[in-house]
Amino acid sequence: KMNLKYSSLLATLLISSSSAFAPTSSFGVSSVSVSSKTRVQGIADDDIESAINRDLEYQPGAAQTPFAERFRHLKGTKVKTVGEAFASFTAICGTPINALYKNMMTDIVGTTHLTVVNARFVRDPIWSLGMITALDLLLGIPTWSS
């Protein structure tokens, strides 16, 4: 049985949080009418035609930014898919993964693969310790000898 004090508090919280997802004029945000403008508040403040033209003119690997220049040498590099990485893991493992651990191991191998093949990834001691600790915690087996 819910106390009146708690039910009124719950109702107040629900009412106050419902306006967080809908713009109202009381917060200085006017409602946006449907027009030829795309309004994403700073992300794409131009008309739809120029946004489409920009997408049509896109050339992979042709960006002229410091980020693109830093990783331009990696353009066209063959990267294994997550499926290929899991196949390699299974071959190295030698035995099929127990069904109890299959989903977890698929997630770990997939996430780790996507992290490692990212051009910005640099293996360091903190990352390595985190991997060892997570695997020890999740699998419950020792990963190094004492």
Side-chain angles (χ1 to χ4, degrees):
K1 187 173 179 178
M2 191 178 252
N3 188 335
L4 179 63
K5 178 179 164 183
Y6 291 119
S7 60
S8 61
L9 177 63
L10 180 62
T12 304
L13 287 173
L14 288 174
I15 290 169
S16 65
S17 66
S18 66
S19 65
F21 303 105
T24 60
S25 59
S26 63
F27 293 113
V29 179
S30 62
S31 62
V32 179
S33 64
V34 178
S35 67
S36 65
K37 296 265 185 197
T38 55
R39 300 295 297 172
V40 187
Q41 303 296 328
I43 295 175
D45 284 337
D46 56 354
D47 61 33
I48 193 75
E49 187 175 335
S50 66
I52 291 172
N53 288 335
R54 201 172 40 249
D55 283 346
L56 291 174
E57 296 166 0
Y58 174 75
Q59 296 288 323
Q64 300 298 321
T65 63
F67 180 82
E69 295 296 327
R70 182 176 169 198
F71 297 108
R72 190 170 313 281
H73 68 282
L74 297 173
K75 179 182 171 187
T77 302
K78 175 77 172 109
V79 177
K80 284 197 290 187
T81 65
V82 172
E84 292 168 341
F86 195 78
S88 297
F89 171 78
T90 305
I92 291 168
C93 188
T95 60
I97 305 290
N98 184 328
L100 182 64
Y101 297 108
K102 183 83 169 176
N103 287 336
M104 179 181 61
M105 290 310 299
T106 301
D107 289 346
I108 291 172
V109 171
T111 304
T112 303
H113 171 70
L114 291 174
T115 300
V116 171
V117 298
N118 186 329
R120 298 171 289 177
F121 174 76
V122 178
R123 178 179 285 163
D124 63 0
I126 300 297
W127 184 84
S128 299
L129 178 64
M131 282 301 297
I132 289 171
T133 304
L135 291 174
D136 187 34
L137 177 70
L138 293 171
L139 300 176
I141 55 174
T143 52
W144 64 85
S145 59
S146 302

